[in-house]
Amino acid sequence: PQQHGSPAPVPLEESVRGRTDRPFGLGGSGPIWRQGVDSSIGCGGERLRTDTIRPIHPSTVESPVSEAPSSSAAPVFGNILEMVGNTPMLELQRMDTGPCRLFVKMESMNPGNSIKDRIAIRMVEAAERDGRLKPGGRIIEATAGNTGLALALIAAQKGYKCTLVIPDKVSDEKIAHVRAMGAEVVLTRSDVEKGHPDYYQDIATRIAAEDPDALYIDQFNNAANVAAHHDTTGPEIWAQMDQDRKSTRL
C-alpha cells in the first residue's frame, strides 16, 4: 500500500524507459525497447535525452522471412564434421537498409565457428579421394587464421597429424587454440614477403617436401577451396532465399 506522502508508483513502462540492458527482439508479452538516435546514457556516463525511446510490442515487429514449424526438431549428428554447412540465414531488421532487405548467412554456426570449415573439409576430402592424403598422414598448411582452426579440427576427427605454419603476428589466443586441438605450430616471421626463405608459405612448402607422408593443403592455390562455395555456400543461399531466378540479383 502507498504510504502517506510517498510518490505515486511509476508505471512499469515508465520505470524502464531508457534501459539498454534488454536485447532487441526478446519474446514474451512485454514491450521491446527501441532506442532512437539519442541514447539514455552517454559515452561518458552522462544522462541524455530519452524521449526518442519508445516501447514496441512484439505484435508490431515484422515476422521473419520464414518460420520453422514449432514441432520440428534439430537433427542429431554422428560426427561433428557432419555439422559443417547448411547454416541458417538471418534478416537484419534493426538496421537502416534503405529500400533493400539485408540478410546474413550465419557461418559462425559451423563447428569451427567460421566459413573456413567449408573449404577445409572440401580440400581434405579431395586429397583423400585422389590419394594425396593417406590414412595417418600429415596435413600441413600456412595459415594466419580460421583455416588453421578448421584443419586442426578435421585432422583430430580423421586421425591425421596437423602442422600449421603461422606468422608471429597471430594472437597468442589463436595459437593456444590450435595447439589445444592437437596441432603442431611452427612460428615464422611476419615481416618478410613471398620469396624470402622465412616466408610462412615457403616454409610450409619446404616442410611438406621433406615428409613423404605430408600434404601441403595450399589453400591459396587449391581448386577445392573455390569449389566448396560453388557447390555448397551459393546453392544454400539460393535455396534459402527462395527467389525467382529471372528477377533476383544476389
Side-chain angles (χ1 to χ4, degrees), residues 117-188:
D117 288 3
R118 291 178 184 267
I119 68 167
I121 196 167
R122 178 59 69 94
M123 292 186 294
V124 168
E125 289 179 345
E128 290 173 334
R129 284 194 301 271
D130 62 26
R132 290 177 295 135
L133 182 60
K134 296 178 173 57
R138 181 185 182 192
I139 294 172
I140 296 176
E141 181 57 352
T143 176
N146 290 324
T147 302
L149 286 169
L151 288 170
L153 172 65
I154 294 166
Q157 290 294 311
K158 287 177 169 285
Y160 298 118
K161 296 181 285 292
C162 182
T163 299
L164 302 176
V165 184
I166 299 178
D168 56 15
K169 67 179 180 181
V170 174
S171 69
D172 292 342
E173 291 78 9
K174 278 193 174 181
I175 293 172
H177 193 168
V178 296
R179 280 177 170 157
M181 296 174 73
E184 175 192 16
V185 173
V186 177
L187 286 177
T188 64

